[in-house]
Amino acid sequence: MMFETWWLLALPFVFGLGWMAARFDLRQLLSEQGALPRSYFKGLNFLLNEQPDKAIDAFIEVARLDPETTELHFALGALFRRRGETERAIRVHQNLATRPDLPEPEREHALYELGQDFLRAGLLDRAEESLRRLMSGPYAASAKRVLLELYEVEKEWQKAIEAARELQTLEQKDYRVQIAQFCCELAQDALQRKRPEDAVEWLRKATQENPANVRAPILLGDVAMAAGDARGALSHWLGIEQQDASFLPLVADRVVKAYATLGEQGQALAWLRELLKGNLAAELLDTAYRTELEVNGPVAAATLMREQLRRQPTLLALTKYFEAQAERASATAPEGQSPEASQETSQETAAIRDLLQARTRNLARYTCRECGFRARLFYWQCPGCNRWETYAPRRTEALG
């Protein structure tokens, strides 16, 4: 009983302590609110009323009066950049970066954000200037990554190689795939400038950097072909089968052209017919059909497509079969058939061909493994996410 009485006597004391603590917190809150500049509340009011320009002016005033509000500006600047309002983002971050009383870590943060703003706005020189001031310190790695992106946009491939090597050392991350592709870009530029020796040197460096790079032997074949060495070009292109056979469809037309230069179209057809028996048939069907049609005519092309339909029935093979039949019907009338009946057959075959062509024209697409961007053409660098070697050399949608 005495224990319960003691607690009853202590309750008023406990309540008294709670009341005093609440009063102290309330006074502290009111004191902190009173310390906030009026511009802070004006800025919030402008934001709520969808007046971002006036809100920025108000918050800049807050930053001038109270350095502790810089985080608010970083958040606003990032928000404006994400919304595509790069001029406002630049304005916010420039005011932060030029403040003489801003601590150095926050100044570096502002310069980094400003570099990204300029990059997004397309002001590449100013972006590089801002980011170049951050080559050491906590933002060095982040600045170099943005610089690498900038150099890719500008197609400054040698600078991109240097930036990638620096990042490779700084982050202990593998950039060999990207560096090899930058070398290939330089090789392609050299080829366009009619400097094959420089192109070969860059391709040698690409292979050294990444032996799995398939683009290098493709371009080496182009160099040999441009020099009139069709046999040498074939050795590069056909060697891709040992490296990664799935890339053969990318060089199929080149291989056919090289064999034609050597007068060995039969070799090209034999190579294509053998590949049609494997899992590359869908990718090589169009090249095989066109080559057979050109070398042996529509009857042989139709026979090849009929064989392919028996082996691997697909909508694309059916389309090519009717293309060959339409070519055959328009060239000669079947024996024993009247001209009127022949014309009617030709029109029906052409109608079926047109219907199938319309159905298959947009079926196949190359798809980026990273972002899902789909394209009719093959790209070494995805136009959607700018990643390298994210396109598989085979189209992902079924053709039948």
Side-chain angles (χ1 to χ4, degrees), residues 165 179-180 183 200-210:
R165 291 196 192 283
I179 293 172
C183 291
V200 170
E201 180 60 23
W202 281 117
L203 293 171
R204 182 185 64 79
K205 291 179 180 179
T207 304
Q208 287 179 344
E209 197 70 39
N210 179 22

Side-chain angles (χ1 to χ4, degrees), residues 55-317:
I56 288 175
D57 291 334
F59 285 129
I60 288 172
E61 179 67 16
V62 175
R64 188 181 66 81
L65 297 174
D66 185 1
E68 299 300 322
T69 60
T70 53
E71 287 301 324
L72 170 65
H73 281 54
F74 284 126
L76 279 171
L79 172 64
F80 287 142
R81 186 170 65 239
R82 283 196 300 271
R83 292 174 58 187
E85 300 176 58
T86 52
E87 289 185 9
R88 290 173 177 154
I90 289 170
R91 189 174 168 189
V92 168
H93 293 133
Q94 272 184 332
N95 277 277
L96 284 171
T98 55
R99 272 182 48 191
D101 60 331
L102 196 69
E104 193 59 29
E106 294 190 0
R107 187 185 313 282
E108 291 183 356
H109 186 185
L111 285 170
Y112 172 67
E113 297 293 340
L114 190 58
Q116 293 192 85
D117 296 338
F118 286 138
L119 180 61
R120 181 67 65 86
L123 303 172
L124 304 184
D125 291 340
R126 299 184 70 180
E128 184 175 4
E129 180 185 351
S130 294
L131 295 166
R132 276 288 175 192
R133 296 167 64 182
L134 300 169
M135 291 297 96
S136 61
Y139 288 93
S142 300
K144 288 178 190 294
R145 281 196 295 271
V146 180
L147 276 173
L148 180 58
E149 180 184 345
L150 184 151
Y151 294 143
E152 290 184 33
V153 171
E154 290 185 308
K155 300 188 184 301
E156 293 280 355
W157 302 116
Q158 295 202 47
K159 288 184 177 180
I161 290 173
E162 293 172 9
R165 291 196 192 283
E166 290 173 1
L167 280 169
Q168 195 163 248
T169 302
L170 195 62
E171 298 180 327
Q172 297 298 307
K173 186 179 175 182
D174 189 357
Y175 280 85
R176 288 179 300 171
V177 168
Q178 293 92 322
I179 293 172
Q181 287 293 342
F182 299 155
C183 291
C184 288
E185 291 288 342
L186 286 163
Q188 199 142 9
D189 290 345
L191 280 175
Q192 291 173 355
R193 296 195 308 270
K194 309 295 184 185
R195 300 178 65 176
E197 297 83 3
D198 292 346
V200 170
E201 180 60 23
W202 281 117
L203 293 171
R204 182 185 64 79
K205 291 179 180 179
T207 304
Q208 287 179 344
E209 197 70 39
N210 179 22
N213 182 284
V214 179
R215 190 179 180 186
I218 293 176
L219 290 175
L220 283 168
D222 291 342
V223 173
M225 196 67 185
D229 183 9
R231 192 73 66 188
L234 282 171
S235 69
H236 289 296
W237 294 330
L238 296 178
I240 292 172
E241 186 170 5
Q242 306 302 319
Q243 190 173 357
D244 189 341
S246 63
F247 282 88
L248 285 175
L250 298 182
V251 296
D253 288 333
R254 290 174 167 94
V255 169
V256 170
K257 183 179 178 181
Y259 273 125
T261 301
L262 296 169
E264 299 176 2
Q265 294 94 329
Q267 291 281 358
L269 279 173
W271 179 72
L272 288 168
R273 287 171 182 159
E274 188 63 29
L275 290 175
L276 285 181
K277 298 175 184 177
N279 58 4
L280 296 175
E283 302 298 324
L284 292 167
L285 204 60
D286 185 62
T287 302
Y289 166 76
R290 285 186 285 104
T291 306
E292 188 76 52
L293 183 67
E294 182 179 348
V295 174
N296 295 321
V299 175
T303 301
L304 180 64
M305 292 301 102
R306 185 165 56 247
E307 291 173 356
Q308 188 61 27
L309 277 169
R310 291 171 181 167
R311 186 164 45 235
Q312 295 180 19
T314 64
L315 191 58
L316 183 57

Side-chain angles (χ1 to χ4, degrees), residues 1-13:
M1 179 68 93
M2 287 182 64
F3 177 75
E4 295 177 359
T5 303
W6 168 255
W7 276 101
L8 288 173
L9 291 174
L11 281 174
F13 179 72

